[in-house]
Each structure stands twice: as structure tokens, then as C-alpha cells.
Amino acid sequence: MVRVHSSLLFLLAFSSRIDATRSVNARGLSGVRDDLHFHLHARASNKDGSVPVYKNRNAPIEDRVNDLIPRMNIQEKVAQLIQGDIDGWMNMTDPLDDTKTFNQSGLVDMMSTKAGAIWGGYLTPWDKFVYAVNVGQRYLMENTTLGIPAIFQSEGLHGFTNNGTIWPSPIGLAASFNTELLQQAATTIADEAEGLGFSQLFAPVLDLSRELRWGRVEENFGEDPFLTGEMGNAYITGIQSGRRRNASSTATARMASTCKHFAAFGSPQGGLNIAQVSGGERELRSMFLKPFNRACVQSLSIMTAYSSYDGIPAVANFHLLTDILRNEWGYKFFVTTDAGSPDLLLSLHGTCDTRECAARMVLENGMSGEMGGGTYTYLTLPDQVQAGTVNVSFIDETVKTVLRTKFTLGLFENPYPYDDYLSTLRTPATRALLHQMEQETIVLLQNNHNTLPLSTKLGSVALIGPQVNRVSFGDYVFFNATLNGISPLAGFTQFLTNTSVKVNFAQGCELWSNDESGFDEAVAAAKESDVAVVMVGTWSLDQTLLWTPGTNATTGEHVDLSDLALVGAQRALVQAVQAVGKPTVVVFVSGKPVAEPWIQENVDAVIQQFYPGELGGLALAEIVFGAANPSGKLPVSFPRSVGTTPVFYNYQKGSRPVDAGEVLPDGTLKFGHQYVLDSPVPLWSFGHGLSYTTFKYSNMELSPSTISTDGNFTVSVTVKNTGTVDGKEVVQVYLTDVVSSVVTPNQELVGFQKVDIPAGTSKTVSIGVQSSQLALWSLQSSWVVEPGTFTIKVGTSDQSFLSANLTVHT
């Protein structure tokens, strides 16, 4: 057994003692002693007739957990650790079928072996799903010995996916830089799920978008650990805050948010999904773990990663899952593997040769439950306990984390759907909030000669490109979700209904083809119009089509790219339209940055719309015509080409020398060194985003400007809207440790705040910075704030509006 002695230290930290007399009989009552206060044949009641502590809604959660564990036999314990599926007793194959019948034998079989959490992420009529949950929970509560309810799970990455409201993709949500708005959005996502009987959502993703070839960039909150942590914290707070109806007073959440993927998953070698991630302890601590530490210690669930880090599979990484997560951070809730990942120890990582080994390594190193999607290696655990190869104490402590999450959710008091579940699904209030978010996620990248906003007094506008008459959602939406969305063509048509502006639409080409046969129609539309808006980009698919052989996509899980330029005929389409000579606006609708320097250099304006939600098409029209002022900022930098990646802004000092070369428009080669014929400088950098108004910064102050190594400080600055229209500005604060004992980032975001400033007015913005944000992972492998000078700037990652020095003394 690997590191059992260290693991037992962890177990002792969670439990006052480990009973050496526990039975290891896989068919018996492992962990149950004859001298306890309940009968072995009636474990759900006490010998003296009193109510068991675990059934006492007013008892402390730890007392309830500790009372329930010794009542459970080994089969019941292992069943708590394995994810079941609602299709075990319901026919979920037809998303339109509303037949409310269930398979009794399938229900009994499922709940006997896989009852801890139940996957319910199916597109199915709401009333059928409610029926299914009621059947499952009532069986568990009323027809099993101990009456332990299940957690019902679905996806919630950018909206409740079971025909709930779809929000912009996470990379788009991050572009809003609006944590308050995101928390409100997450609240509505939980509202929609809770009423139907769900109690866990698989979100948010806190991987960092530092490897842009990776297909899942759209699922992240960007390249920066601070922004990711703040957005993640806002999301988790919105998802979990509150209490289920009729839950106990000790319940502190109504939904379990699931942070994933723990950890360092988003930077795979070559950008290839689930490939190895290379790095050391300092990079792990300084970058990849920071957002998890900020946001996930409060979450009720965490999901592990598929990949390995520094040669150790994340799913069985003792240092990551036990040393850091459990012992150092004190995390006490439910950790689950990703789908099928224990089997990867055999099939991918090659660190086990049997299912028994895989189950043992995942359990003992990670204290994790097992999701479905594989061979259910945990089904081997009862026999391993009987054989003495697994100590039941590991199972006990892992089951405690699952039960702790269930008690915290109040499921033992009320695990059922609500009768009025329709009252929180797809409400007008949610739609109004979505509308605001759609507007705030759009980023104005470039606006030469104030081409935008367009006037509604124009005679006509050409809408050209394969993204015009299409609803492009990110991955992790369910089949046909796009039917609820508004395409840009529909959105512009709706917005311009009461104007005289004519819309000339021409698709021009497909997203996935080199066919240029539609160019003539596109060029004609541009010639007939006062201005051309060309919409191009990447595309993802829903969770059915994304995994269907023969379909295509350029972003999404397992969809990785070797090139970040536009696919097929899209760039040529932009060039053909721009050559007409009319003002040309390009809109990137995408799940990741698009590397197209020709577009930056040649068109009049560029807009970035990361995959939107249901009202994305309308919001885009409102931004283009100035009914809404763009306020989004880039959460991720845009490279000039895939060869100039990685391009994240917070690179280590000295890591990005620039002696750029270039290929001139006439084909002349101008040679440099970094790079020979290109530049490592992004087209647009993190934090960049323009407005239809202008802002002036003044009166920057640090209070205090000198602190001790454990002191905090505040950055204040006055921001004036010097333009003629109201606007929202994201005030960003960056920090540089001027001299340090180890190499530190050239700069890193340490604070931001989005403020609404009417035209002609000023606001003073104050942003607090904690001393811990100045810390580095030292040569002695600990967090240390070193005395010295820190440069504090207000601006974006590639601009400094104001700066000041902070002095830190011992």
C-alpha cells in the first residue's frame, strides 16, 4: 500500500480514533460493534427508543455524521461513494417522451450499489424528471434501512442545462468583470435546478486558459488566477447561498457547487485534452491552485482532473488531494473523480494494472467518490476490505465527506422536488438579468475613427458571415438548447424593427468549408449597404452532437486545435468584403481567442463576443448600434499566431524579450529575433476593452503607502467619464514585486471593480489588497511576503494609467 502511514495521519485528524476492533467482513456490518446503542437488525432506531442523532434535524452535523457511520454496513458505505444514474429506473432515451413509469427492479439494483449521487442530466420533460426524482428519493427514504437520500446531479457551467436558461459561456461571463452580476446569475441557475430536485451542479471550471490550443478554453474564466478566483467565488456563492425548503437550521447551502478540475488541468502538453501537465511546486502554488484556494474551500464538492501533474495522476495525487486540499486547506466535503478517470490509471497513465489497484489508489490518495463513465472500480472495495488490502477506515472517512455534504444541504429533511417548480424556471426576472449580462460580456477590441456605434439613420447594413444566422453556444448545453436562442440575424432584425435601416444578409461561406461560392452574394450585399458587419469565429456543439461521430466543431471538450486562425474560407470572406471599400466591422463569435493579425490591421472595428447565451444576438445588435455601451474586458490575451503562444500577460520576469520581425503587406520579409518574422506581443492583451466614451484617471493613492509584511492596503483612484455617453469602466489594479528571492511575474492582477459612471461625472474607486496577495512561494517552500518595493499600477495589462510604489518593511 502506498503512503498508508501518511494517509492515516490524515484520518486521525478527522476522527478522534480509529476503532481497531472493526470487522472487515465485506458481507457483514463493517464498523458496527455489538455494544452500540442500536440493534444490528434495526440500525435505524436506538435500543432505548430514542431518535437516532442522525435523524435529529437540530443536532450538529458532525454528531449526525458520526452517529450514522457505525450504523452502515460495507455495501451501504461503498454505495455512497459511487455515482448512480437515473436511467437505472427510468427510460431516458427519448428527450420528448413524457411517460411516467419506472423499472422497480432497476431501481432496487441501482440503489443497492450506486446510491450516493445520481446523475440526472438528461433533456426530458420537467414533470417526468420530477417524477423520477420523487420515485428515487422516496425509495431511499422510505424503503431502505437507514433512509439516506441521494444527491441528484446535472451540469450548470453556463446555465441550468435541463432546458433552463442558457447564459454566456464562462469565458464570456468573465469578460464582464462583474462579480456581483455573476453571483446574481448563478443564483438563478440554482433556482431553476433546485425546484426540480437537483442538489449538485458540475460547475464552475477554474482551470486557467493559458494553453489556447486546448478545446475547453471556453469553459474557463480566463488566463488569470485572481480573476478566475473572484469569478469562481461569485459563482459558487450564488449557487450555494440559501437553504432548501424545510431543511434543518444547521443546513447552510441549498445546492452543491462543484469546482473542477483539481488541479492544473487546463495547460496540457501540446494543448491536447487530458495530456500531461508539466510544472513544479512553485507554479502549482503560484498559478494553478490560487483560484481553487480562493473559491473552492467553501464549495460543497470538488472534481479531480484527468491529467497528470509532474508525473502523478491528479485522480490519485496524495500531495494534491490529501496534503494540500484536506490537511493544509481543511477541506471536509465531497470530492469526486471525473467520469471514468479511475480507469485511466490502467488505460492511460499506466500506474495500475488492475481495477482493484485503481480503486485503492484513488480512495487512499484522494478520499474521493467515483463518478460513472468507467468500469466502476469501487465495486471491488468490499472484497478488498474482506481480503485486507483496503482498510475500512479509508472508506469510512470518505463516506463521511459525502454525508457531511448531504447534511449541509439539508437533504435528510427534504430531498424532494418542489410542487411549484415551474415558478422558478425561465422567469422574466432571469431573462432581464441575462440581457444585462449579454451586453456586459461583449468586448470592443478596436474602433478606428469611431466607426462604432452605427447610427439607426443609416440606409442599410450588411450582415455577412457564417455566424450571422446561427446560435453559437458553448459546450455543456444539451441537445436543441440553441432553439431557445436569438441569432444575430434575428437580434438585428428585432432591434431595427421600428427604424428604416434595411438589413442585407449574405452568409458568404460555411464555418467548416473552404467553399467560396457564396462570396459574390456577400460582396454584393456589402456594395448595397452603408456598412458591412462580418461575423466569423469558432464553433462548439451541444453534449449530444459534440460526441457524435461525423460531426465537427473547433472548440469544446476533446476538440483541440493546432491553429488559432479562422477555419476554412472565413478570413478570405472578410478580405473580400473589406476590399469593397465600405466601413467594415468584424465580430468574432468564438470560444477562445482568434489569431488573425490581418483583420486587426485592415478592418475598421473589431468586436469579440465569446459564445453568448440566449439573448446574445439581440445584445450584439444593441452594442453595434449604441443602445448599449460596451464594457467588457478581455479575460484572455489574443496571440498573433499559434506559434507565438503562450501569450498570457503574467509571464515571469524576463520571459518575453521583444525584437520582432514581420512580413510586410507587399511580402517583404523584415527579420528580427523574437520572433524572426513575428512578435510575442499579443494583438490584444488581458484586460483590454474599449468603450463609446472616454475615462480619465487621477488622484491615485495608496493607503497606507508603507506596510508591514502582514499589513493590508487600499488603492484609491478617481475616474471621470470625459465623454458624452454613460459608461461602465473596469478599474484594474496590478502589482509587481520589484526585487524578489525567486522569479515572480512581471505583473499580476490584484484587484478590480466595475463602476457605472454617467457622462461628465466622476467616481472615486477604492480597492483593497490583502497582504497575502504580495506573497511568493519561497525557496523554503512556504508563503512569504518579503520586505521591499512593490510597484502598484492602475490600467490594463498593457497600459499604465497611474502608478505608485508600495514599501513593505519587516
Side-chain angles (χ1 to χ4, degrees):
M1 297 175 68
V2 178
R3 285 188 289 259
V4 170
H5 60 289
S6 299
S7 298
L8 288 176
L9 291 176
F10 161 73
L11 296 173
L12 288 167
F14 270 83
S15 179
S16 59
R17 61 184 172 83
I18 296 176
D19 186 3
T21 66
R22 286 174 174 169
S23 167
V24 294
N25 186 342
R27 295 176 299 277
L29 297 172
S30 175
V32 177
R33 300 195 310 270
D34 292 336
D35 60 342
L36 286 178
H37 55 286
F38 52 85
H39 296 285
L40 295 183
H41 65 275
R43 291 169 288 132
S45 59
N46 291 337
K47 291 178 179 178
D48 63 4
S50 63
V51 175
V53 173
Y54 87 90
K55 291 184 178 181
N56 181 356
R57 61 186 296 142
N58 297 315
I61 287 176
E62 287 307 300
D63 290 351
R64 299 180 77 179
V65 170
N66 291 328
D67 180 67
L68 179 53
I69 281 286
R71 298 174 188 267
M72 301 173 69
N73 63 39
I74 187 64
Q75 185 63 49
E76 291 164 339
K77 290 175 181 178
V78 172
Q80 286 296 304
L81 301 182
I82 303 177
Q83 180 195 47
D85 198 306
I86 205 168
D87 72 355
W89 66 94
M90 297 289 295
N91 184 348
M92 308 302 288
T93 56
D94 183 354
L96 300 179
D97 176 67
D98 199 19
T99 304
K100 288 180 277 293
T101 59
F102 71 96
N103 182 314
Q104 177 69 32
S105 61
L107 176 67
V108 173
D109 181 67
M110 177 66 66
M111 296 310 191
S112 67
T113 57
K114 308 178 186 73
I118 304 294
W119 173 248
Y122 290 96
L123 181 60
T124 191
W126 291 327
D127 60 340
K128 179 178 179 179
F129 181 79
V130 166
Y131 172 83
V133 174
N134 273 315
V135 167
Q137 295 288 35
R138 292 201 179 280
Y139 174 80
L140 289 171
M141 297 294 286
E142 300 171 7
N143 296 97
T144 63
T145 301
L146 296 174
I148 303 174
I151 295 172
F152 277 78
Q153 308 164 315
S154 187
E155 301 292 349
L157 194 61
H158 45 108
F160 172 58
T161 46
N162 297 51
N163 201 27
T165 304
I166 299 302
W167 292 76
S169 59
I171 195 75
L173 296 171
S176 74
F177 274 71
N178 192 334
T179 53
E180 181 180 350
L181 185 59
L182 179 57
Q183 182 174 328
Q184 294 177 55
T187 296
T188 71
I189 294 170
D191 286 343
E192 293 190 330
E194 180 186 355
L196 290 169
F198 286 101
S199 44
Q200 182 178 8
L201 294 176
F202 290 157
V205 172
L206 299 183
D207 303 315
L208 299 180
S209 300
R210 292 159 65 88
E211 171 50 81
L212 298 177
R213 293 172 293 180
W214 189 48
R216 304 182 75 172
V217 167
E218 68 201 56
E219 299 178 25
N220 305 338
F221 291 129
E223 68 188 39
D224 178 71
F226 182 78
L227 175 64
T228 298
E230 293 303 302
M231 300 305 280
N233 180 67
Y235 185 95
I236 292 164
T237 302
I239 289 290
Q240 296 192 164
S241 292
R243 184 180 290 122
R244 290 185 58 81
R245 298 178 190 175
N246 302 318
S248 63
S249 60
T250 59
T252 58
R254 45 77 173 261
M255 186 74 58
S257 181
T258 308
C259 285
K260 55 182 187 175
H261 306 87
F262 197 74
F265 186 46
S267 294
Q269 188 176 86
L272 298 172
N273 193 44
I274 78 173
Q276 71 178 66
V277 179
S278 301
E281 184 78 3
R282 184 164 290 103
E283 186 171 16
L284 180 69
R285 299 272 189 169
S286 301
M287 289 293 165
F288 300 124
L289 289 186
K290 277 188 174 180
F292 285 94
N293 181 254
R294 169 68 177 102
C296 300
V297 173
Q298 66 160 324
S299 69
L300 295 188
S301 180
I302 289 176
M303 184 186 297
T304 60
Y306 284 123
S307 56
S308 64
Y309 186 80
D310 194 26
I312 303 175
V315 71
N317 189 322
F318 180 87
H319 178 57
L320 192 62
L321 296 171
T322 300
D323 283 342
I324 295 176
L325 181 63
R326 298 294 191 185
N327 292 342
E328 186 178 320
W329 294 0
Y331 188 72
K332 59 183 181 178
F333 295 109
F334 177 31
V335 174
T336 178
T337 71
D338 208 336
S341 58
D343 291 280
L344 297 185
L345 298 181
L346 291 77
S347 61
L348 178 72
H349 301 300
T351 57
C352 277
D353 56 359
T354 65
R355 293 172 63 241
E356 288 78 5
C357 170
R360 185 170 65 251
M361 290 300 97
V362 172
L363 176 73
E364 294 182 355
N365 288 287
M367 299 292 163
S368 308
E370 182 177 34
M371 194 188 291
T375 65
Y376 296 104
T377 68
Y378 273 29
L379 292 176
T380 69
L381 288 177
D383 286 343
Q384 292 203 72
V385 170
Q386 183 181 33
T389 57
V390 169
N391 191 312
V392 73
S393 301
F394 290 101
I395 295 174
D396 284 356
E397 294 304 320
T398 309
V399 172
K400 283 183 180 180
T401 68
V402 177
L403 296 177
R404 193 174 288 121
T405 292
K406 292 183 178 184
F407 282 119
T408 303
L409 289 169
L411 292 179
F412 279 78
E413 286 69 56
N414 183 17
Y416 304 111
Y418 304 153
D419 291 339
D420 62 345
Y421 61 85
L422 289 175
S423 66
T424 55
L425 282 159
R426 307 186 67 82
T427 67
T430 295
R431 199 164 181 83
L433 201 64
L434 170 65
H435 193 180
Q436 179 185 349
M437 179 63 86
E438 299 277 20
Q439 293 173 344
E440 293 200 21
T441 60
I442 295 174
V443 186
L444 178 60
L445 296 177
Q446 188 165 299
N447 193 19
N448 299 343
H449 312 299
N450 293 321
T451 299
L452 296 174
L454 302 182
S455 170
T456 53
K457 299 186 185 303
L458 287 174
S460 59
V461 59
L463 300 183
I464 298 169
Q467 291 284 21
V468 174
N469 194 24
R470 173 187 173 89
V471 175
S472 287
F473 288 162
D475 67 350
Y476 281 92
V477 298
F478 289 176
F479 188 62
N480 281 342
T482 55
L483 297 178
N484 289 323
I486 296 176
S487 69
L489 180 59
F492 274 76
T493 301
Q494 177 181 330
F495 178 78
L496 295 171
T497 296
N498 296 319
T499 73
S500 59
V501 180
K502 179 183 178 184
V503 173
N504 296 316
F505 165 60
Q507 181 167 311
C509 69
E510 298 284 358
L511 285 165
W512 46 80
S513 173
N514 286 312
D515 183 4
E516 299 183 2
S517 60
F519 279 23
D520 289 344
E521 183 183 2
V523 169
K527 288 179 178 179
E528 295 171 6
S529 305
D530 296 313
V531 62
V533 180
V534 189
M535 302 182 194
V536 292
T538 63
W539 71 101
S540 190
L541 295 172
D542 63 60
Q543 285 297 293
T544 298
L545 295 176
L546 191 68
W547 298 90
T548 299
T551 56
N552 60 58
T554 53
T555 70
E557 185 173 3
H558 87 303
V559 182
D560 309 313
L561 290 173
S562 64
D563 192 345
L564 299 174
L566 291 169
V567 170
Q570 292 184 83
R571 185 203 299 127
L573 175 64
V574 176
Q575 292 170 328
V577 172
Q578 189 269 348
V580 171
K582 298 293 179 71
T584 303
V585 178
V586 168
V587 179
F588 292 128
V589 181
S590 67
K592 64 174 60 178
V594 174
E596 286 289 355
W598 186 94
I599 289 177
Q600 182 208 41
E601 295 163 2
N602 291 277
V603 305
D604 297 286
V606 183
I607 287 174
Q608 173 63 44
Q609 185 180 43
F610 293 108
Y611 294 142
E614 295 178 9
L615 298 179
L618 176 60
L620 182 60
E622 292 167 334
I623 291 291
V624 168
F625 279 92
N629 192 350
S631 64
K633 304 289 183 181
L634 286 181
V636 62
S637 301
F638 276 53
R640 299 182 62 83
S641 71
V642 71
T644 64
T645 60
V647 75
F648 47 80
Y649 84 94
N650 50 354
Y651 55 87
Q652 300 287 287
K653 294 172 186 171
S655 297
R656 194 167 293 170
V658 180
D659 178 14
E662 62 178 320
V663 180
L664 300 178
D666 64 0
T668 301
L669 304 182
K670 180 181 177 182
F671 288 89
H673 299 90
Q674 290 96 21
Y675 289 100
V676 169
L677 291 172
D678 212 333
S679 171
V681 178
L683 292 173
W684 297 287
S685 190
F686 176 89
H688 171 77
L690 304 178
S691 172
Y692 294 150
T693 190
T694 53
F695 299 99
K696 181 180 179 181
Y697 286 69
S698 63
N699 304 324
M700 177 181 176
E701 292 185 7
L702 305 183
S703 178
S705 59
T706 300
I707 62 172
S708 61
T709 54
D710 60 354
N712 305 324
F713 66 99
T714 299
V715 181
S716 62
V717 64
T718 300
V719 185
K720 182 176 182 179
N721 183 337
T722 55
T724 59
V725 297
D726 299 345
K728 295 175 182 177
E729 173 69 333
V730 179
V731 180
Q732 304 168 49
V733 178
Y734 294 82
L735 172 149
T736 300
D737 189 345
V738 177
V739 178
S740 51
S741 60
V742 298
V743 182
T744 53
N746 76 97
Q747 59 178 324
E748 49 190 321
L749 184 72
V750 292
F752 63 89
Q753 185 176 330
K754 194 165 198 175
V755 288
D756 194 347
I757 309 177
T761 67
S762 301
K763 285 191 178 179
T764 297
V765 179
S766 296
I767 297 175
V769 181
Q770 303 296 308
S771 61
S772 59
Q773 294 175 258
L774 281 63
L776 54 77
W777 189 251
S778 72
L779 293 168
Q780 288 72 41
S781 298
S782 62
W783 288 111
V784 175
V785 177
E786 296 182 338
T789 301
F790 292 77
T791 299
I792 310 298
K793 83 167 186 180
V794 175
T796 67
S797 68
D798 61 352
Q799 288 182 290
S800 179
F801 302 149
L802 296 169
S803 65
N805 285 337
L806 175 76
T807 301
V808 178
H809 61 77
T810 55

